[in-house]
Amino acid sequence: MQTELSKTLGVEHAVFGFTPFPAVAAAISRAGGFGVLGAVRYTDPDDLKRDLDWIEAHVDGKPYGLDVVMPAKKVEGVSEADVEAMIPEGHRQFVRDTLAKYGVPGLAEGEASGWRITGWMEQVARTQLDVAFDYPIRLLANALGSPPADVVARAHDRDILVAALAGSARHAVKHKDAGIDIVVAQGYEAGGHTGEIASMVLTPEVVDAVAPLPVLAAGGIGSGQQVAAALSLGAQGVWLGSIWLTVTEADMSSPAVTRKLLAAGSGDTVRSRALTGKPARQLRTEWTDAWDDPNGPGTLPMPLQGLLVAEALTRIQKYEVEPLLGTPVGQIVGRMTGEHSVQAVFDDLTRGFEQAVDRINRIAGRSGK
């Protein structure tokens, strides 16, 4: 599964694996793909340094990258406390009432929330980059589109390629104009923040719009046949995230979440603003239903919603309150029916890819099989 882009980066397969788990990122790179560590949860730069040190020691010299969540426009003089003060009391009460309805225990005295979407903040993302640029990363990806121009320049000065996610051809063209090297065309089916356009339509639109820039297809991809389809649409690789959530190397803190993922079908996800304030695909739960209920207060815009629900999600996860327990995941969750190693996932991808290519060759009369 090689393309011009994978050869440029020195990887065997044009499979880019996004994951919050260092062990999974390293395993993806060792298996011949390109592991990308998600940085949004690293509010302490020392934690990020520790995990990048670990990856360096376990990646066997293979290339890897980092994914940040960084706004393109800088906001000066706004602290997390300033943003917290903007949250209406009615929304705080709704959170308290919902948790009480399901009997969710509180945190111990002095225990801090372990889940906060703060990587969106300018100063947090920049501290992550200050750490990451001391490591031989080959790719910097930004989940919120094009990073600021000075960040792109810093990456290019270090021979680091920059990728940005796009949900439409219009967004992709803006990324190209901003000097981005790779566009990730993320379709409606994907986990996390997504737009309204499905991958089968989006991928060729973006390929045409930004040519000759390489494009990675994302959203609804979890088999070798789907990888072959993405490459046939003009992509130079695929960006996979959800499929790694149930691999044996994943450090999923909640066994209950893993059980729910393995039991879920492709129709058991929903695009909801309940997590961050922007539409993000995730498991449908009674928590997402509560926020999407028209009789409720409705969600707040990003980043207010993420800060509002941070402690609540920590409590739900800590005590594994199953009706409310969820995670970002794409529609490909329907294929995630067992726990397998990263290498086993790659073996399945390559088998499926070979079968798909052989099938097309037979149809085209180019194979004697």
Side-chain angles (χ1 to χ4, degrees):
M1 298 185 287
Q2 269 206 341
T3 64
E4 183 179 344
L5 178 60
S6 66
K7 292 176 182 177
T8 297
L9 288 168
V11 295
E12 183 180 359
H13 304 301
V15 174
F16 294 72
F18 164 80
T19 174
F21 307 120
V24 177
I28 290 169
S29 291
R30 290 198 306 270
F34 191 99
V36 182
L37 179 67
V40 71
R41 67 190 178 95
Y42 292 98
T43 56
D44 185 338
D46 289 337
D47 291 339
L48 179 58
K49 184 179 186 305
R50 176 201 64 213
D51 284 353
L52 289 176
D53 283 339
W54 191 93
I55 289 176
E56 273 290 298
H58 293 84
V59 81
D60 292 349
K62 303 293 180 64
Y64 63 94
L66 191 76
D67 178 278
V68 297
V69 179
M70 193 174 195
K73 295 182 179 179
K74 189 172 184 177
V75 179
E76 299 281 1
V78 179
S79 68
E80 187 175 330
D82 294 332
V83 178
E84 288 265 16
M86 301 177 190
I87 299 173
E89 177 57 30
H91 282 74
R92 295 187 187 277
Q93 187 61 49
F94 180 76
V95 170
R96 290 192 289 266
D97 291 345
T98 303
L99 296 177
K101 177 181 176 181
Y102 291 90
V104 182
L107 298 177
E109 185 176 352
E111 183 178 359
S113 167
W115 188 98
R116 293 186 76 78
I117 293 293
T118 54
W120 60 270
M121 298 184 73
E122 179 80 12
Q123 62 269 32
V124 175
R126 286 187 178 275
T127 60
Q128 294 167 350
L129 294 176
D130 289 340
V131 171
F133 284 150
D134 286 336
Y135 290 81
I137 62 172
R138 295 293 310 281
L139 176 73
L140 173 66
N142 188 33
L144 288 183
S146 305
D150 69 295
V151 171
V152 175
R154 286 179 69 190
H156 286 167
D157 286 344
R158 293 163 173 78
D159 293 324
I160 299 170
L161 297 180
V162 181
L165 275 66
S168 71
R170 178 172 58 87
H171 292 153
V173 170
K174 288 184 177 180
H175 298 342
K176 181 181 180 181
D177 292 343
I180 298 303
D181 304 293
I182 302 167
V183 175
V184 181
Q186 180 165 282
Y188 173 82
E189 309 96 322
H193 296 123
T194 68
E196 300 279 355
I197 306 172
S199 299
M200 183 64 74
V201 174
L202 180 65
T203 301
E205 284 188 352
V206 171
V207 168
D208 290 342
V210 303
L213 283 189
V215 173
L216 301 178
I221 302 172
S223 72
Q225 291 88 345
Q226 290 166 320
V227 175
L231 298 189
S232 73
L233 292 173
Q236 285 205 31
V238 293
W239 178 273
L240 308 184
S242 297
I243 200 72
W244 314 112
L245 290 174
T246 55
V247 296
T248 53
E249 293 91 342
D251 184 22
M252 188 67 75
S253 60
S254 171
V257 169
T258 300
R259 290 196 300 270
K260 293 184 79 169
L261 287 169
L262 295 176
S266 56
D268 293 327
T269 68
V270 63
R271 283 174 77 245
S272 171
R273 297 178 185 269
L275 187 64
T276 67
K278 285 191 174 185
R281 185 170 297 284
Q282 55 204 281
L283 283 178
R284 182 176 181 178
T285 66
E286 294 184 32
W287 177 259
T288 62
D289 286 348
W291 282 105
D292 295 338
D293 188 335
N295 295 319
T299 56
L300 297 170
M302 188 181 193
L304 299 181
Q305 182 70 17
L307 294 172
L308 169 65
V309 303
E311 181 184 322
L313 294 180
T314 296
R315 290 163 60 184
I316 291 166
Q317 292 167 3
K318 177 178 180 177
Y319 299 108
E320 296 198 314
V321 184
E322 293 214 22
L324 304 178
L325 192 61
T327 186
V329 69
Q331 291 180 329
I332 200 64
V333 70
R335 290 188 61 91
M336 297 157 53
T337 57
E339 295 183 74
H340 308 287
S341 68
V342 167
Q343 184 61 61
V345 172
F346 267 89
D347 291 343
D348 181 67
L349 290 173
T350 53
R351 280 194 300 268
F353 181 83
E354 290 168 355
Q355 291 167 2
V357 171
D358 183 60
R359 185 182 304 118
I360 295 301
N361 281 335
R362 290 201 308 270
I363 293 171
R366 295 173 183 160
S367 172
K369 296 182 182 179

